Amino acid sequence: MNKRARVLLLNAAIGPLDYRIDAEHDVQPGSIVLAPLGPRQLAGVVWEAERMPSDAEVGDNRLRPLAGVYDLPPLGAPLRRLIEWTADYYLAPPAAVLRMALASASALDGGRTITEYRATGHVPDRLTPQRAQALERVEGRQGLVRELATIADVSDGVIRGLVKAGAIEPVEVRVDDPFPIPDPDHARPALSEAQAEAAARLTNAVEAHKFAPIVLDGVTGSGKTEVYFEAVAEALRCGRQTLVLLPEIALTEPFLKRFAERFGCAPVAWHSDLRQSQRRRAWRAIASGEALVTVGARSALFLPYRDLGLIIVDEAHETSFKQEDGVMYHARDVAVMRGHFEGVPVVLASATQAIETRQQVALGRYEEVRLPARFGGAALPDIAAIDLTQDRPDRGRWLAPSLVTALTETLERGEQSLLFLNRRGYAPLTLCRHCGHRFQCPNCTAWMVEHRLTARLACHHCGHVMPPPRACPECKEEDALVACGPGVERIADEVALLFPDARTAIVTSDTLWSPAKAAEFVNRMDGGEIDIVVGTQLVTKGYHFPNLTLVGVVDADLGLSGGDLRAAERSFQQIAQVAGRAGRGAKPGRVLVQTHEPAAPVIEALVSGDAESFYAAETEARRMAGAPPFGRFAAIIVSSESGEEAAATAKAIGRAAPRVEGMQVYGPAPAPLAMLRGRHRQRLLVHASRALDVQDVIREWLGPLEWRRSVRVTVDVDPYSFL
Ligand SMILES: [Zn+2]
Ligand SMILES: [Zn+2]
């Protein structure tokens, strides 16, 4: 009998450790255990010793015994392989990946009740501004004292005071209440012939219960969701679990509604906005196999599904699937790996598949299932460019006369319009008219963005905020500050001036910050209470508004200015997605794209509808440059509060770079975001051929190097951000 257990503890700073297994404990690889570490006890998972080397070998006589074994199903071998693969590929500590699998520490303990709090509607006699703010914001919400305090942006003490005053009351929540079971036959849709064919391919793959990466490709409005819902239904009939990954939390609510209409109840949701009790209940139901369909953000990928049968990645082209801190993984790639280890089909659904995905199809590694037309005979919208050098907006305005005319016509017909600008706030830059002073964030290489709705200047990188000062801090001149360039708030102002009677809504992460807010927006759109929406990329996400017939892209050149390798592709995807919001019902849609460069390949491809030749040209350019998917990048980012220290460390790393065939190292150089959250940043970029095991090279390169504790070195494998 095995007396020793290697345990991967939930602490990224220490490697796996060995423990003694006493007779009373029954453990196997994957068992979730409690182990002593110094004076404390820590959760961890038992691992195959040969797969997880330990650098702290301890003799049998000195082993400490395990403190306990949780009464939970062990993590399955496929998930353990996924954790190893992710740690290896993204050069992350295995414990940091394991933490995502055991994402709810409180869920490890057995079922019990949790006391949450909610507003009673009673207003206390003594109403301080803080209390008033708290009551306003927690209305209709429920949660722990700490959770309510966070929502209300007040201290725990304010919430407790309100509990004492009777304005907030405790509620007992049973955290192990079962979830409703989705019914695959609740409301079976009438599919078109093309949809039925695609659905049959997916359901066959689910039935076969084997690894199969399938790309579900279809124009916006072609009914991809209805098609993959049939695969979900098949998994339900087989009694297996499904995971649906969505890129944005704001998308969840409209999705949940559609899901409930099809299957008769909501799926289990998993995202960062969950309360602790919800998180715990979801985790336990996923681990027990009771949660049959989970819809979640990328972190749902690592949860311990007991019997997974299907993975779907919706809007698979979305760059927000890339995690930019902690373990820097790409959820689309990890989803395919999970499917591989679990032996289940993975469906990547999108109208604008990523070039990386298209390449896998071209190589025959992924199967492609196409939906050619829009569902129900709805036509694709008519896309035209507005040449801003000819059709100029008035001074200080941003909407060209022909776009204004189109908005007027749409309003007169009682239909809805959407103006798209991927920039939050009122203006991206504020400067002093008198001396030219520009407002920069004290912590970052970034301008402070003016937000008029909240009357403040904000840094979009670190969250630093300040009230807009009356006088210029440089020359002390009063009322000399001018806003430069537009954000969505400024466009909304222009709309209000042009159409004083139109009902408008601004949709950004500032206004749609919770699923409830997103649901409210959808209801108002569906109810015809909004005429003109002004929004960022948040409105390009999966919404379906039949009465929305006009889309205006305010600045199509914006996305191209950043200039990283995916800029053109991303612009194309974004504009194609936002264009896809127009004319999804019986009425035809129209899209007007404002640009200074109507001859740019991106714009020409959008106007002509010839996506294939655009993709072909982009793919060829990547091939010539040896860029992904034909070559690989890895970024090494060195940061420190001291600029000299960051530069010196980066230089030392650069000097130690090995000479390896098929690999080139660029830099170090100050990052474009040279300062972020008060830390100076230097970057090195590794460019390697596909054949090279670049992770191995980097491990051997950085492994022996040492740097001060005040320096942080992170490696971003397959980076999406080049800032
Ligand atoms: Zn000034
Ligand atoms: Zn900042």
Side-chain angles (χ1 to χ4, degrees):
M1 192 191 143
N2 195 0
K3 290 285 186 208
R4 233 179 205 284
R6 180 141 305 164
V7 178
L8 183 57
L9 293 169
L10 271 189
N11 181 338
I14 42 175
L17 295 174
D18 288 353
Y19 290 92
R20 195 177 77 224
I21 309 166
D22 286 341
E24 83 230 51
H25 293 139
D26 180 21
V27 307
Q28 52 175 299
S31 291
I32 305 172
V33 298
L34 195 62
L37 184 74
R40 294 182 307 146
Q41 291 191 330
L42 221 59
V45 171
V46 175
W47 224 270
E48 297 93 327
E50 67 277 12
R51 305 192 67 105
M52 190 67 69
S54 166
D55 17 287
E57 289 288 346
V58 178
D60 280 350
N61 52 341
R62 286 176 46 223
L63 280 185
R64 296 178 75 180
L66 284 177
V69 181
Y70 286 100
D71 183 20
L72 289 165
L75 298 192
L79 177 54
R80 298 202 300 281
R81 300 298 84 83
L82 184 82
I83 291 170
E84 290 164 2
W85 180 87
T86 305
D88 191 62
Y89 189 90
Y90 293 103
L91 297 164
V97 186
L98 177 65
R99 193 191 298 275
M100 297 193 280
L102 302 186
S104 174
S106 75
L108 300 179
D109 299 312
R112 58 185 158 97
T113 59
I114 285 185
T115 306
E116 294 188 329
Y117 294 85
R118 66 178 173 208
T120 57
H122 166 77
V123 179
D125 301 337
R126 204 173 65 81
L127 197 62
T128 62
Q130 290 241 298
R131 285 184 161 193
Q133 175 176 324
L135 286 180
E136 189 191 304
R137 296 204 187 168
V138 305
E139 201 203 312
R141 307 286 287 255
Q142 185 171 315
L144 305 175
V145 166
R146 182 169 26 87
E147 289 167 340
L148 292 185
T150 307
I151 291 165
D153 198 14
V154 297
S155 70
D156 290 10
V158 173
I159 302 292
R160 279 200 209 94
L162 286 167
V163 174
K164 254 188 217 134
I168 290 180
E169 64 180 357
V171 219
E172 290 293 302
V173 181
R174 281 187 307 168
V175 286
D176 278 346
D177 274 356
F179 284 97
I181 295 170
D183 173 7
D185 301 312
H186 176 75
R188 301 180 67 168
L191 298 177
S192 71
E193 203 175 311
Q195 283 180 317
E197 214 172 289
R201 176 60 201 107
L202 301 190
T203 48
N204 287 343
V206 171
E207 225 177 340
H209 200 40
K210 280 194 304 217
F211 174 55
I214 302 173
V215 172
L216 180 59
D217 205 348
V219 296
T220 54
S222 59
K224 288 183 292 297
T225 313
E226 286 72 19
V227 169
Y228 75 63
F229 273 177
E230 291 314 291
V232 176
E234 185 61 27
L236 283 168
R237 289 187 195 106
C238 300
R240 296 196 196 101
Q241 292 171 290
T242 298
L243 163 64
V244 183
L245 284 184
L246 297 180
E248 303 269 349
I249 173 180
L251 195 77
T252 326
E253 209 69 14
F255 178 89
L256 298 183
K257 205 171 137 194
R258 279 173 89 176
F259 186 94
E261 281 162 10
R262 170 67 181 83
F263 295 105
C265 68
V268 176
W270 183 273
H271 50 72
S272 56
D273 205 41
L274 290 184
R275 302 183 333 245
Q276 201 196 98
S277 60
Q278 295 172 313
R279 185 168 274 272
R280 177 195 155 92
R281 181 176 168 217
W283 192 93
R284 290 182 70 86
I286 286 166
S288 72
E290 181 221 319
L292 284 170
V293 183
T294 303
V295 174
R298 57 184 176 233
S299 57
L301 201 46
F302 294 94
L303 296 175
Y305 304 92
R306 181 153 208 189
D307 186 9
L308 200 56
L310 172 66
I311 301 173
I312 289 158
V313 185
D314 201 357
E315 308 290 344
H317 64 280
E318 271 292 331
T319 49
S320 61
F321 277 125
K322 174 68 166 45
Q323 167 97 8
E324 293 292 359
D325 51 20
V327 182
M328 296 168 94
Y329 65 95
H330 196 302
R332 184 180 63 231
D333 297 338
V334 179
V336 172
M337 287 316 289
R338 180 137 202 191
H340 166 76
F341 290 125
E342 300 273 357
V344 302
V346 182
V347 177
L348 307 179
S350 169
T352 52
Q353 298 284 356
I355 286 180
E356 284 82 354
T357 305
R358 297 170 66 96
Q359 184 60 16
Q360 296 294 335
V361 173
L363 291 172
R365 291 187 191 140
Y366 293 3
E367 179 187 343
E368 187 178 45
V369 174
R370 266 178 181 275
L371 286 171
R374 278 198 158 185
F375 182 67
L380 277 173
D382 204 12
I383 304 183
I386 293 178
D387 183 349
L388 288 175
T389 63
Q390 303 298 316
D391 191 359
R392 280 197 200 135
D394 292 340
R395 210 180 138 68
R397 300 280 180 94
W398 316 96
L399 304 178
S402 54
L403 180 52
V404 174
T405 307
L407 283 167
T408 312
E409 291 164 1
T410 310
L411 266 175
E412 279 167 359
R413 280 198 303 270
E415 294 167 7
Q416 294 166 316
S417 305
L418 161 65
L419 292 172
F420 169 72
L421 176 65
N422 203 19
R423 219 189 235 154
R424 291 161 51 207
Y426 184 83
L429 169 66
T430 303
L431 55 75
C432 169
R433 185 188 292 122
H434 190 243
C435 74
H437 173 81
R438 296 168 167 210
F439 282 81
Q440 193 179 335
C441 173
N443 312 316
C444 309
T445 315
W447 306 124
M448 296 293 285
V449 177
E450 183 182 359
H451 286 249
R452 285 215 177 153
L453 293 178
T454 48
R456 61 187 192 173
L457 298 175
C459 170
H460 288 177
H461 293 283
C462 72
H464 176 77
V465 291
M466 58 190 267
R470 255 193 77 101
C472 169
E474 193 80 27
C475 69
K476 314 294 175 213
E477 185 80 9
E478 289 203 1
D479 299 320
L481 304 186
V482 280
C484 294
V488 280
E489 291 178 13
R490 196 167 196 178
I491 300 300
D493 270 10
E494 187 171 337
V495 168
L497 275 173
L498 290 164
F499 309 104
D501 298 329
R503 297 157 304 169
T504 62
I506 298 177
V507 174
T508 76
S509 52
D510 301 306
T511 59
L512 241 64
W513 42 266
S514 71
K517 289 275 178 195
E520 188 190 316
F521 164 65
V522 171
N523 286 337
R524 286 177 59 210
M525 277 300 277
D526 285 344
E529 292 166 37
I530 299 171
D531 299 312
I532 303 175
V533 182
V534 185
T536 60
Q537 45 93 29
L538 212 56
V539 290
T540 67
K541 305 291 159 62
Y543 290 119
H544 182 85
F545 302 121
N547 201 35
L548 177 66
T549 57
L550 173 68
V551 166
V553 176
V554 175
D555 185 353
D557 311 332
L558 192 61
L560 289 169
S561 57
D564 73 56
L565 76 102
R566 294 184 183 87
E569 184 193 3
R570 209 155 36 211
S571 276
F572 179 83
Q573 288 165 339
Q574 205 164 63
I575 298 173
Q577 290 286 344
V578 72
R581 299 310 116 201
R584 292 173 73 103
K587 299 165 189 163
R590 192 175 166 201
V591 181
L592 294 170
V593 179
Q594 298 197 141
T595 174
H596 287 92
E597 286 181 79
V602 174
I603 307 293
E604 283 199 326
L606 288 161
V607 170
S608 67
D610 188 2
E612 284 313 313
S613 57
F614 169 76
Y615 272 117
E618 274 296 301
T619 306
E620 195 46 35
R622 299 253 195 113
R623 190 195 308 273
M624 298 300 287
F630 304 98
R632 307 186 49 195
F633 287 117
I636 302 174
I637 300 131
V638 182
S639 73
S640 163
E641 282 177 21
S642 146
E644 288 96 72
E645 197 175 60
T649 310
K651 235 183 221 156
I653 290 175
R655 270 197 306 269
R659 284 175 187 275
V660 177
E661 190 170 318
M663 180 180 101
Q664 261 184 310
V665 179
Y666 302 101
L673 252 175
M675 177 102 147
L676 180 64
R677 294 183 194 97
R679 297 179 73 87
H680 296 264
R681 302 166 77 242
Q682 294 266 334
R683 286 180 74 101
L684 294 104
L685 189 65
V686 181
H687 186 192
S689 73
R690 275 231 87 82
L692 187 73
D693 186 344
V694 71
Q695 285 92 340
D696 234 30
V697 174
I698 293 174
R699 246 188 302 267
E700 279 177 32
W701 167 12
L702 299 184
L705 299 182
E706 282 179 7
W707 42 79
R708 304 255 280 285
R709 286 173 66 103
S710 47
V711 178
R712 204 179 296 147
V713 177
T714 48
V715 182
D716 187 1
V717 177
D718 302 342
Y720 273 65
S721 164
F722 292 82
L723 298 176

PDB file of all heavy atoms in Angstrom, residues 328 633-637 683-686 698 714-719 721-722:
ATOM      1  N   MET A 328      -1.108  33.556 -17.765  1.00  0.00           N
ATOM      2  CA  MET A 328      -1.494  34.291 -18.973  1.00  0.00           C
ATOM      3  C   MET A 328      -1.857  33.329 -20.100  1.00  0.00           C
ATOM      4  O   MET A 328      -1.118  33.196 -21.062  1.00  0.00           O
ATOM      5  CB  MET A 328      -0.376  35.246 -19.365  1.00  0.00           C
ATOM      6  CG  MET A 328      -0.161  36.308 -18.282  1.00  0.00           C
ATOM      7  SD  MET A 328       1.347  37.258 -18.520  1.00  0.00           S
ATOM      8  CE  MET A 328       0.730  38.640 -19.427  1.00  0.00           C
ATOM      9  N   PHE A 633       5.618  34.006 -30.859  1.00  0.00           N
ATOM     10  CA  PHE A 633       6.198  35.061 -30.042  1.00  0.00           C
ATOM     11  C   PHE A 633       6.085  34.685 -28.578  1.00  0.00           C
ATOM     12  O   PHE A 633       5.198  33.925 -28.181  1.00  0.00           O
ATOM     13  CB  PHE A 633       5.447  36.381 -30.248  1.00  0.00           C
ATOM     14  CG  PHE A 633       5.720  37.051 -31.565  1.00  0.00           C
ATOM     15  CD1 PHE A 633       4.706  37.233 -32.493  1.00  0.00           C
ATOM     16  CD2 PHE A 633       6.996  37.509 -31.866  1.00  0.00           C
ATOM     17  CE1 PHE A 633       4.951  37.860 -33.706  1.00  0.00           C
ATOM     18  CE2 PHE A 633       7.251  38.139 -33.077  1.00  0.00           C
ATOM     19  CZ  PHE A 633       6.230  38.315 -33.997  1.00  0.00           C
ATOM     20  N   ALA A 634       7.010  35.219 -27.790  1.00  0.00           N
ATOM     21  CA  ALA A 634       6.847  35.209 -26.342  1.00  0.00           C
ATOM     22  C   ALA A 634       7.417  36.528 -25.861  1.00  0.00           C
ATOM     23  O   ALA A 634       8.463  36.968 -26.348  1.00  0.00           O
ATOM     24  CB  ALA A 634       7.585  34.039 -25.706  1.00  0.00           C
ATOM     25  N   ALA A 635       6.709  37.184 -24.945  1.00  0.00           N
ATOM     26  CA  ALA A 635       7.193  38.456 -24.422  1.00  0.00           C
ATOM     27  C   ALA A 635       7.727  38.242 -23.018  1.00  0.00           C
ATOM     28  O   ALA A 635       7.156  37.470 -22.244  1.00  0.00           O
ATOM     29  CB  ALA A 635       6.067  39.479 -24.413  1.00  0.00           C
ATOM     30  N   ILE A 636       8.845  38.881 -22.724  1.00  0.00           N
ATOM     31  CA  ILE A 636       9.365  38.871 -21.354  1.00  0.00           C
ATOM     32  C   ILE A 636       9.244  40.302 -20.852  1.00  0.00           C
ATOM     33  O   ILE A 636       9.808  41.222 -21.444  1.00  0.00           O
ATOM     34  CB  ILE A 636      10.827  38.389 -21.314  1.00  0.00           C
ATOM     35  CG1 ILE A 636      10.919  36.980 -21.918  1.00  0.00           C
ATOM     36  CG2 ILE A 636      11.367  38.417 -19.887  1.00  0.00           C
ATOM     37  CD1 ILE A 636      12.355  36.470 -22.054  1.00  0.00           C
ATOM     38  N   ILE A 637       8.469  40.479 -19.808  1.00  0.00           N
ATOM     39  CA  ILE A 637       8.213  41.824 -19.294  1.00  0.00           C
ATOM     40  C   ILE A 637       8.874  41.962 -17.925  1.00  0.00           C
ATOM     41  O   ILE A 637       8.634  41.158 -17.023  1.00  0.00           O
ATOM     42  CB  ILE A 637       6.697  42.103 -19.193  1.00  0.00           C
ATOM     43  CG1 ILE A 637       6.079  41.977 -20.581  1.00  0.00           C
ATOM     44  CG2 ILE A 637       6.430  43.509 -18.655  1.00  0.00           C
ATOM     45  CD1 ILE A 637       4.862  41.122 -20.625  1.00  0.00           C
ATOM     46  N   ARG A 683      10.541  45.565 -22.043  1.00  0.00           N
ATOM     47  CA  ARG A 683      10.099  44.351 -22.736  1.00  0.00           C
ATOM     48  C   ARG A 683      11.201  43.745 -23.573  1.00  0.00           C
ATOM     49  O   ARG A 683      12.007  44.460 -24.176  1.00  0.00           O
ATOM     50  CB  ARG A 683       8.938  44.666 -23.691  1.00  0.00           C
ATOM     51  CG  ARG A 683       7.616  44.919 -23.036  1.00  0.00           C
ATOM     52  CD  ARG A 683       6.585  45.215 -24.104  1.00  0.00           C
ATOM     53  NE  ARG A 683       6.205  44.007 -24.830  1.00  0.00           N
ATOM     54  CZ  ARG A 683       5.087  43.331 -24.607  1.00  0.00           C
ATOM     55  NH1 ARG A 683       4.236  43.741 -23.711  1.00  0.00           N
ATOM     56  NH2 ARG A 683       4.814  42.243 -25.296  1.00  0.00           N
ATOM     57  N   LEU A 684      11.214  42.424 -23.606  1.00  0.00           N
ATOM     58  CA  LEU A 684      11.989  41.699 -24.608  1.00  0.00           C
ATOM     59  C   LEU A 684      10.986  40.874 -25.396  1.00  0.00           C
ATOM     60  O   LEU A 684      10.010  40.377 -24.823  1.00  0.00           O
ATOM     61  CB  LEU A 684      13.009  40.749 -23.956  1.00  0.00           C
ATOM     62  CG  LEU A 684      14.147  41.404 -23.172  1.00  0.00           C
ATOM     63  CD1 LEU A 684      13.884  41.284 -21.684  1.00  0.00           C
ATOM     64  CD2 LEU A 684      15.473  40.739 -23.514  1.00  0.00           C
ATOM     65  N   LEU A 685      11.205  40.774 -26.696  1.00  0.00           N
ATOM     66  CA  LEU A 685      10.303  39.974 -27.505  1.00  0.00           C
ATOM     67  C   LEU A 685      11.086  38.828 -28.134  1.00  0.00           C
ATOM     68  O   LEU A 685      12.092  39.045 -28.800  1.00  0.00           O
ATOM     69  CB  LEU A 685       9.645  40.836 -28.590  1.00  0.00           C
ATOM     70  CG  LEU A 685       8.528  40.133 -29.360  1.00  0.00           C
ATOM     71  CD1 LEU A 685       7.349  39.808 -28.454  1.00  0.00           C
ATOM     72  CD2 LEU A 685       8.057  41.001 -30.524  1.00  0.00           C
ATOM     73  N   VAL A 686      10.611  37.611 -27.876  1.00  0.00           N
ATOM     74  CA  VAL A 686      11.242  36.427 -28.451  1.00  0.00           C
ATOM     75  C   VAL A 686      10.426  36.011 -29.666  1.00  0.00           C
ATOM     76  O   VAL A 686       9.207  35.855 -29.570  1.00  0.00           O
ATOM     77  CB  VAL A 686      11.267  35.274 -27.419  1.00  0.00           C
ATOM     78  CG1 VAL A 686      11.944  34.054 -28.015  1.00  0.00           C
ATOM     79  CG2 VAL A 686      11.956  35.719 -26.140  1.00  0.00           C
ATOM     80  N   ILE A 698      13.255  29.195 -22.918  1.00  0.00           N
ATOM     81  CA  ILE A 698      13.084  30.286 -21.949  1.00  0.00           C
ATOM     82  C   ILE A 698      13.300  29.782 -20.521  1.00  0.00           C
ATOM     83  O   ILE A 698      13.922  30.450 -19.697  1.00  0.00           O
ATOM     84  CB  ILE A 698      11.696  30.948 -22.115  1.00  0.00           C
ATOM     85  CG1 ILE A 698      11.631  31.661 -23.471  1.00  0.00           C
ATOM     86  CG2 ILE A 698      11.412  31.923 -20.990  1.00  0.00           C
ATOM     87  CD1 ILE A 698      10.280  32.240 -23.823  1.00  0.00           C
ATOM     88  N   THR A 714       7.750  38.637 -15.917  1.00  0.00           N
ATOM     89  CA  THR A 714       6.667  37.755 -16.359  1.00  0.00           C
ATOM     90  C   THR A 714       6.897  37.377 -17.822  1.00  0.00           C
ATOM     91  O   THR A 714       7.417  38.174 -18.597  1.00  0.00           O
ATOM     92  CB  THR A 714       5.288  38.423 -16.239  1.00  0.00           C
ATOM     93  OG1 THR A 714       5.366  39.718 -16.822  1.00  0.00           O
ATOM     94  CG2 THR A 714       4.842  38.560 -14.816  1.00  0.00           C
ATOM     95  N   VAL A 715       6.518  36.145 -18.134  1.00  0.00           N
ATOM     96  CA  VAL A 715       6.643  35.688 -19.508  1.00  0.00           C
ATOM     97  C   VAL A 715       5.236  35.515 -20.063  1.00  0.00           C
ATOM     98  O   VAL A 715       4.392  34.879 -19.436  1.00  0.00           O
ATOM     99  CB  VAL A 715       7.408  34.351 -19.579  1.00  0.00           C
ATOM    100  CG1 VAL A 715       7.563  33.916 -21.036  1.00  0.00           C
ATOM    101  CG2 VAL A 715       8.772  34.484 -18.920  1.00  0.00           C
ATOM    102  N   ASP A 716       4.978  36.116 -21.205  1.00  0.00           N
ATOM    103  CA  ASP A 716       3.676  36.030 -21.855  1.00  0.00           C
ATOM    104  C   ASP A 716       3.871  35.216 -23.137  1.00  0.00           C
ATOM    105  O   ASP A 716       4.391  35.714 -24.128  1.00  0.00           O
ATOM    106  CB  ASP A 716       3.189  37.457 -22.144  1.00  0.00           C
ATOM    107  CG  ASP A 716       1.760  37.495 -22.674  1.00  0.00           C
ATOM    108  OD1 ASP A 716       1.149  36.414 -22.805  1.00  0.00           O
ATOM    109  OD2 ASP A 716       1.256  38.598 -22.959  1.00  0.00           O
ATOM    110  N   VAL A 717       3.470  33.945 -23.080  1.00  0.00           N
ATOM    111  CA  VAL A 717       3.627  33.061 -24.238  1.00  0.00           C
ATOM    112  C   VAL A 717       2.449  33.297 -25.185  1.00  0.00           C
ATOM    113  O   VAL A 717       1.305  33.346 -24.738  1.00  0.00           O
ATOM    114  CB  VAL A 717       3.663  31.585 -23.776  1.00  0.00           C
ATOM    115  CG1 VAL A 717       3.741  30.652 -24.978  1.00  0.00           C
ATOM    116  CG2 VAL A 717       4.834  31.353 -22.838  1.00  0.00           C
ATOM    117  N   ASP A 718       2.706  33.431 -26.480  1.00  0.00           N
ATOM    118  CA  ASP A 718       1.676  33.793 -27.467  1.00  0.00           C
ATOM    119  C   ASP A 718       0.966  35.079 -27.046  1.00  0.00           C
ATOM    120  O   ASP A 718      -0.250  35.071 -26.819  1.00  0.00           O
ATOM    121  CB  ASP A 718       0.618  32.671 -27.630  1.00  0.00           C
ATOM    122  CG  ASP A 718       1.237  31.345 -28.042  1.00  0.00           C
ATOM    123  OD1 ASP A 718       2.386  31.338 -28.527  1.00  0.00           O
ATOM    124  OD2 ASP A 718       0.556  30.311 -27.880  1.00  0.00           O
ATOM    125  N   PRO A 719       1.686  36.175 -26.921  1.00  0.00           N
ATOM    126  CA  PRO A 719       1.060  37.413 -26.425  1.00  0.00           C
ATOM    127  C   PRO A 719       0.040  37.978 -27.412  1.00  0.00           C
ATOM    128  O   PRO A 719       0.186  37.820 -28.626  1.00  0.00           O
ATOM    129  CB  PRO A 719       2.246  38.375 -26.278  1.00  0.00           C
ATOM    130  CG  PRO A 719       3.266  37.882 -27.255  1.00  0.00           C
ATOM    131  CD  PRO A 719       3.107  36.387 -27.283  1.00  0.00           C
ATOM    132  N   SER A 721      -1.238  41.229 -26.354  1.00  0.00           N
ATOM    133  CA  SER A 721      -0.978  42.643 -26.123  1.00  0.00           C
ATOM    134  C   SER A 721       0.512  42.894 -26.302  1.00  0.00           C
ATOM    135  O   SER A 721       1.337  42.137 -25.788  1.00  0.00           O
ATOM    136  CB  SER A 721      -1.409  43.023 -24.707  1.00  0.00           C
ATOM    137  OG  SER A 721      -0.829  44.258 -24.359  1.00  0.00           O
ATOM    138  N   PHE A 722       0.828  43.939 -27.030  1.00  0.00           N
ATOM    139  CA  PHE A 722       2.231  44.285 -27.226  1.00  0.00           C
ATOM    140  C   PHE A 722       2.553  45.607 -26.552  1.00  0.00           C
ATOM    141  O   PHE A 722       3.498  46.282 -26.883  1.00  0.00           O
ATOM    142  CB  PHE A 722       2.571  44.301 -28.719  1.00  0.00           C
ATOM    143  CG  PHE A 722       2.520  42.921 -29.313  1.00  0.00           C
ATOM    144  CD1 PHE A 722       1.314  42.360 -29.707  1.00  0.00           C
ATOM    145  CD2 PHE A 722       3.664  42.158 -29.413  1.00  0.00           C
ATOM    146  CE1 PHE A 722       1.253  41.071 -30.218  1.00  0.00           C
ATOM    147  CE2 PHE A 722       3.612  40.869 -29.923  1.00  0.00           C
ATOM    148  CZ  PHE A 722       2.403  40.325 -30.326  1.00  0.00           C
TER     149      PHE A 722
END
